[in-house]
Structure formats: C-alpha cells, structure tokens
Amino acid sequence: MGNSALRAHVETAQKTGVFQLKDRGLTEFPSELQKLTSNLRTIDLSNNKIESLPPLLIGKFILLKSLSLNNNKLTVLPEEICNLKKLETLSLNNNHLRELPSTFGQLSALKTLSLSGNQLGALPPQLCSLRHLDVVDLSKNKIRSIPDIVGELQAIELNLNQNQISQISVKISCCPRLKVLRLEENCLELSMLPQSILSDSQICLLAVEGNLFEIKKLRELEGYDKYMERFTATKKKFA
C-alpha cells in the first residue's frame, strides 16, 4: 500500500477518531498511528497479515473504545494492550492466540470479547476479573474443560460452541448474570452436564445440539421444567 494512501487514511482518522484499513495485506501494525494515540476511538485492521502488535505503541491509545484485528496472524498479545482502560470491544477472531496476557483483567471497561477461531486450550481465568463483560465468544478453540473459576464470570452470554469440552464445573450455575450458554458441537456426555444449569441458574437459553447425547434425553432431566419456565418467560419478554 502506498504511503500517500496511508497518509490520507491517517488524516481522515485525525478528524473522525476512526482508523479502518481492512483487506490491505498489511504485515505490521501501522507505525504512523503513533500520531493519533490521543484521539483514536476505533481501530479496525481486520483481514490483514499482521503477526504482532508493537508493545510500545499499542497501550498508548488512551481513548480507544473498539479494537478489531479479526483474520490476522497474531500469536501473542503484548501485556501493554491491557493499558487500554477505555476499551469496550475487542475482536480477535481467527488468529493464532494460545493464551491471553496475565494482566488482561485490567481491561476494566471491556464489554464484548470475541476470540473465536483461535488456539486457546483453556478458559482464560483473567476473564473472571472483568466486571463489565457482557458477551464472550470463545467458539472454535481447543478448550477441553470448564473449571470452577467460571462461577465468577460476569458475562451475560458465553459462546463455547465447537470446542472439545467434555467436563463442566457445577459452578457455572453460580454465574450471577449468565443468561445464554452455547455449548453446541462439543464432546459432552449428558451425565457431564451439571443439572443445576437447568434447576438452579439464571440461564434461560442453553444450546447443546451436536454433543454425545440426544436432545430428547435432556428434556427428561430433573430441573428441565424450571429451565423451560425461564426460557418461556424470556421469550415472552422479547416477543
């Protein structure tokens, strides 16, 4: 991409607070953005070939609310990304991430996190420190089990479709705000699905198609009627 074209994008972003440069074959995060650290609110560099984020630059976007780097080649995130205290939406679908920085819980304003199609082998415990998190998409990763710490997750919607999950902690029923739980196409036996999800949780949409049991067997479980009451009440609310 020519320098003059990039310069034009930077000039526009200076006025709008939005820098969007998708499908351009970029192999690195544009260093020209260091001029805009104090006025960018949105950065979208999706569908490029970016392999890493510059640690010294990425944490300086003090007003940044939305960062999208879907469909790139990121293998690791620098700790400095956790300095983005105003960040509300982080979208990193279809990269090669295996884990999140240990300080990820410092992204205190984060509401929506999309990490579909990465290489995560576990539910990142750092997510449980994020008090304003509403939606988490961890679909299409390599997660095998859901640990006890999940009970501290504040999310309203958790998407774990297309992982390799065969075990779920009963603590998932304790999530204070969890309404939507997606577990389609995993490796769950019916005996491994905590019945308290049905009888004793806030969850009103449970999606479990494509596991190692027939859906009609789920309907026979104790607590299914309580789940259906929540499901129907929610449906009425949005009808």
Side-chain angles (χ1 to χ4, degrees), residues 35-216:
K35 301 171 190 161
L36 304 176
T37 49
S38 57
N39 56 347
L40 279 187
R41 290 185 307 280
T42 300
I43 296 176
D44 188 350
L45 292 165
S46 296
N47 308 340
N48 282 292
K49 296 174 181 173
I50 298 168
E51 293 182 9
S52 64
L53 299 176
L56 296 176
L57 177 55
I58 196 66
K60 290 185 176 170
F61 295 97
I62 50 173
L63 297 180
L64 199 66
K65 286 195 163 186
S66 174
L67 176 60
S68 297
L69 286 148
N70 300 320
N71 301 307
N72 274 282
K73 296 186 172 183
L74 298 172
T75 54
V76 68
L77 297 176
E79 296 274 345
E80 287 79 1
I81 200 169
C82 306
N83 296 336
L84 302 175
K85 298 292 187 250
K86 294 230 166 37
L87 195 68
E88 294 179 2
T89 303
L90 179 58
S91 211
L92 298 164
N93 298 327
N94 301 321
N95 278 280
H96 307 295
L97 299 169
R98 293 177 183 278
E99 58 183 5
L100 298 179
S102 58
T103 50
F104 199 81
Q106 292 175 12
L107 289 171
S108 49
L110 201 62
K111 291 179 180 174
T112 303
L113 175 64
S114 301
L115 286 162
S116 179
N118 278 280
Q119 305 282 322
L120 298 172
L123 180 93
Q126 302 93 311
L127 303 187
C128 300
S129 313
L130 297 168
R131 292 284 158 242
H132 299 288
L133 201 56
D134 291 334
V135 179
V136 184
D137 186 355
L138 299 173
S139 60
K140 299 181 184 173
N141 276 281
K142 297 184 172 179
I143 299 168
R144 293 172 179 271
S145 64
I146 304 302
D148 287 351
I149 197 167
V150 73
E152 296 172 31
L153 190 71
Q154 296 292 317
I156 297 169
E157 178 170 345
L158 176 59
N159 186 344
L160 291 161
N161 289 348
Q162 293 179 298
N163 276 279
Q164 299 161 13
I165 297 166
S166 58
Q167 283 188 308
I168 301 180
S169 166
V170 69
K171 299 278 189 197
I172 199 158
S173 312
C174 305
C175 292
R177 301 200 304 152
L178 191 62
K179 297 274 195 284
V180 178
L181 177 59
R182 301 187 187 278
L183 286 162
E184 293 178 334
E185 295 181 49
N186 276 284
C187 307
L188 281 169
E189 302 272 3
L190 190 56
S191 59
M192 288 295 163
L193 192 70
Q195 288 196 12
S196 53
I197 289 178
L198 299 172
S199 60
D200 195 23
S201 78
Q202 304 286 320
I203 295 165
C204 49
L205 178 60
L206 175 65
V208 288
E209 286 79 4
N211 279 282
L212 306 178
F213 59 87
E214 294 175 46
I215 293 298
K216 65 179 183 189

